[in-house]
Amino acid sequence: MNVCIVGTGYVGLVSAACFAEMGNNVRCVDVNPEVVKTLEQGKVHIYEPGLEEMVKRNYAEGRLTFTTNLAEALKDSLFVFITVGTPSRPDGSCDLSYVHQVAREVGQNMEDFKVVVDKSTVPVGTADQVRAIIREELQARGSELEFDVVSNPEFLKEGDAVSDFMKPDRVIVGTDNVRTAELLKVLYAPFARSREKLIVMGIRSAEMTKYAANCMLATKISFINEIANICERVGADVRDVRMGIGSDHRIGYNFIYPGVGYGGSCFPKDVKALINTARENEYPPQLLTAVDEVNDRQKQVLAQKILDYFEPQGGVAGKTLALWGLAFKANTDDIREAASLKIVETLLDKGMRIRAFDPVAGENVRKLFDGDDRVEIVDEQYSALEDADALAVVTEWNQFRNPDFARIKKMLKAPLLFDGRNLYAPNIMGELGFAYFCIGRRSER
């Protein structure tokens, strides 16, 4: 089948590569000619395991092409996927200007029947707006071309997006048109060989499903972080509590790992967007508001532990923190809404210096703090420790899970470790001679 995908971010590029992998002809559109040039050279501008190899292979075999020309990409394409960004405005609402612009250009350039697919994360009612814009542009041309607009939200985890697309739990399609539903069923059939995965529902229900899913997962994270903070104060161990509640199949173990709070491009934005939608419809979303507030507070927990430890020693001013992990989670270079940035900003404000390492996100943070000599991004894990006053672990990269503790102890000024991901056991860290602070568990002083 012929597919046009507008936008080459995480969702767009992963979708394009995976559709091409299944034998479809995919035209990928981006407004930035430099991005298109980079992709044609076989280089992927985002870090996602397995994606670059898939892009290179399908481009070389002619199933995946890139262009800045939407009109050209629309020709012969039955499906037009909108996968552009929907960033948050200051009030938490979604900026739909990019989605609207794509809809406008589709209406101006389409020459035959199209199925326009909203795959960007958008508020309830966006498909109706897209439909109205396309119809308006067609009317301005004096055209009565037939088209349909559907909602097909993505459920991809950064760091495992290729696998999620190739082996989805479900494929949500929002449409009231039986013919359109059948067309999407054919397109997604190769991804559902073992069982039926397509769930067809109303457009607004599909749009709402995306937000409901991400807000549910965000709620689980904020819940376990709340429990962790209480555990610290009452002498309980959140690891044991997690095992106890996770064994209940109604709760499960997924997304109940305590830590430094959720980040990335989805959960923070989507929680705020649904809060905004609820308020616009005169409903006070108390639970979602609490989820958001707990997460904002959790991003400061590790920084506060560091400040509290050094307060009796005259504070953190002039001291250096070695920091492992800058991405909002492992297996991505995404630093959007990352807890690491909140921690760094808080400690910088108090006069502390930061020397940080991340296996893939370091360059993104280096650009962010370009010219700020208080922040040094190093290219080797252990070099971050040289003459530092403490080590903080913020992202759960595999290479941090079983490090050389003797080397860490030797390189730090004092054996002091703040673990924002509970990667290590407090009793073992105590036996190794570390002062050790974690989340929701007994600390070793």
Side-chain angles (χ1 to χ4, degrees):
M1 306 185 82
N2 295 325
V3 180
C4 169
I5 292 187
V6 188
T8 62
Y10 280 98
V11 176
L13 194 56
V14 170
S15 300
C18 291
F19 279 136
E21 184 76 3
M22 291 302 186
N24 299 290
N25 298 312
V26 183
R27 305 295 308 271
C28 222
V29 183
D30 197 285
V31 296
N32 188 337
E34 288 302 315
V35 169
V36 170
K37 182 179 179 181
T38 297
L39 289 167
E40 289 178 335
Q41 292 172 347
K43 301 173 184 177
V44 172
H45 55 289
I46 55 178
Y47 180 84
E48 185 63 41
L51 180 59
E52 187 166 295
E53 295 84 353
M54 187 177 287
V55 168
K56 285 181 178 179
R57 178 170 60 253
N58 284 282
Y59 178 73
E61 295 174 2
R63 291 188 298 271
L64 180 60
T65 56
F66 306 99
T67 181
T68 58
N69 190 328
L70 177 58
E72 176 187 316
L74 285 175
K75 292 178 181 177
D76 301 324
S77 293
L78 173 59
F79 300 100
V80 184
F81 282 79
I82 301 177
T83 63
V84 294
T86 55
S88 290
R89 294 192 179 102
D91 65 356
S93 64
C94 267
D95 179 355
L96 293 174
S97 59
Y98 302 115
V99 173
H100 290 168
Q101 181 60 31
V102 174
R104 201 164 286 112
E105 292 187 30
V106 169
Q108 292 167 355
N109 292 284
M110 60 183 286
E111 297 175 354
D112 52 17
F113 173 73
K114 304 294 179 191
V115 177
V116 180
V117 186
D118 276 343
K119 205 165 186 65
S120 298
T121 300
V122 293
V124 176
T126 301
D128 294 338
Q129 297 174 26
V130 168
R131 188 187 305 275
I133 291 170
I134 295 174
R135 184 175 291 118
E136 179 184 327
E137 294 296 335
L138 287 173
Q139 289 173 348
R141 294 167 52 193
S143 172
E144 296 182 359
L145 284 173
E146 185 185 359
F147 69 96
D148 200 4
V149 177
V150 305
S151 174
N152 175 219
E154 54 85 15
F155 299 96
L156 307 178
K157 298 187 297 293
E158 288 187 40
D160 200 25
V162 171
S163 177
D164 283 345
F165 199 102
M166 297 296 283
K167 300 176 181 179
D169 294 323
R170 76 288 202 198
V171 176
I172 303 292
V173 172
T175 181
D176 298 319
N177 188 310
V178 175
R179 180 184 64 172
T180 301
E182 287 299 314
L183 290 173
L184 267 296
K185 186 175 181 179
V186 173
L187 179 64
Y188 277 107
F191 304 96
R193 300 297 297 274
S194 60
R195 61 177 175 84
E196 180 57 60
K197 296 181 180 181
L198 200 77
I199 302 174
V200 180
M201 59 182 70
I203 293 177
R204 291 190 170 223
S205 296
E207 291 171 329
M208 186 65 182
T209 297
K210 168 63 177 180
Y211 282 102
N214 277 356
C215 288
M216 180 71 243
L217 298 175
T219 299
K220 293 184 74 173
I221 294 171
S222 281
F223 171 80
I224 198 64
N225 282 331
E226 189 93 283
I227 294 298
N229 295 334
I230 298 172
C231 283
E232 286 188 18
R233 288 157 175 79
V234 300
D237 188 324
V238 73
R239 183 175 182 273
D240 294 336
V241 174
R242 178 184 175 275
M243 294 295 291
I245 65 174
S247 60
D248 186 329
H249 66 88
R250 296 170 300 176
I251 299 172
Y253 294 106
N254 292 332
F255 286 85
I256 55 170
Y257 288 96
V260 291
Y262 58 76
S265 62
C266 294
F267 289 3
K269 179 173 74 73
D270 293 353
V271 170
K272 287 180 172 61
L274 192 52
I275 289 171
N276 183 78
T277 296
R279 289 173 176 166
E280 285 182 343
N281 288 273
E282 300 181 354
Y283 179 80
Q286 296 177 342
L287 178 59
L288 295 178
T289 301
V291 168
D292 189 44
E293 291 173 351
V294 167
N295 191 63
D296 284 345
R297 184 178 64 195
Q298 195 67 21
K299 289 182 178 181
Q300 297 290 352
V301 165
L302 199 67
Q304 192 59 53
K305 289 177 184 289
I306 296 169
L307 293 173
D308 290 345
Y309 180 87
F310 284 107
E311 184 177 9
Q313 304 173 36
V316 300
K319 294 182 172 61
T320 299
L321 177 71
L323 192 150
W324 282 357
L326 295 164
F328 86 93
K329 69 172 186 176
N331 296 319
T332 180
D333 63 348
D334 196 344
I335 59 171
R336 286 173 288 184
E337 299 286 344
S340 63
L341 301 183
K342 290 287 186 182
I343 293 168
V344 168
E345 289 167 5
T346 298
L347 297 177
L348 288 179
D349 286 345
K350 299 295 183 179
M352 200 170 203
R353 299 176 64 86
I354 307 295
R355 190 181 301 118
F357 167 79
D358 188 284
V360 299
E363 187 57 34
N364 290 340
V365 177
R366 185 178 283 124
K367 293 175 184 176
L368 195 64
F369 288 96
D370 185 35
D372 190 337
D373 60 6
R374 300 172 300 168
V375 179
E376 180 185 1
I377 308 301
V378 299
D379 296 323
E380 196 279 321
Q381 176 178 341
Y382 289 95
S383 63
L385 306 173
E386 192 66 49
D387 208 30
D389 294 275
L391 167 64
V393 181
V394 181
T395 310
E396 68 280 22
W397 288 97
N398 285 341
Q399 67 193 77
F400 301 156
R401 293 181 181 275
N402 192 26
D404 186 339
F405 288 111
R407 187 176 179 185
I408 294 172
K409 191 174 180 181
K410 182 178 180 181
M411 295 184 72
L412 292 175
K413 286 184 179 179
L416 175 59
L417 199 156
F418 296 89
D419 182 359
R421 296 292 182 174
N422 288 355
L423 297 184
Y424 316 122
N427 61 320
I428 293 177
M429 298 305 294
E431 291 171 3
L432 291 172
F434 281 86
Y436 175 73
F437 298 85
C438 49
I439 308 293
R441 309 184 71 189
R442 175 176 56 87
S443 297
E444 293 289 336
R445 300 176 183 272

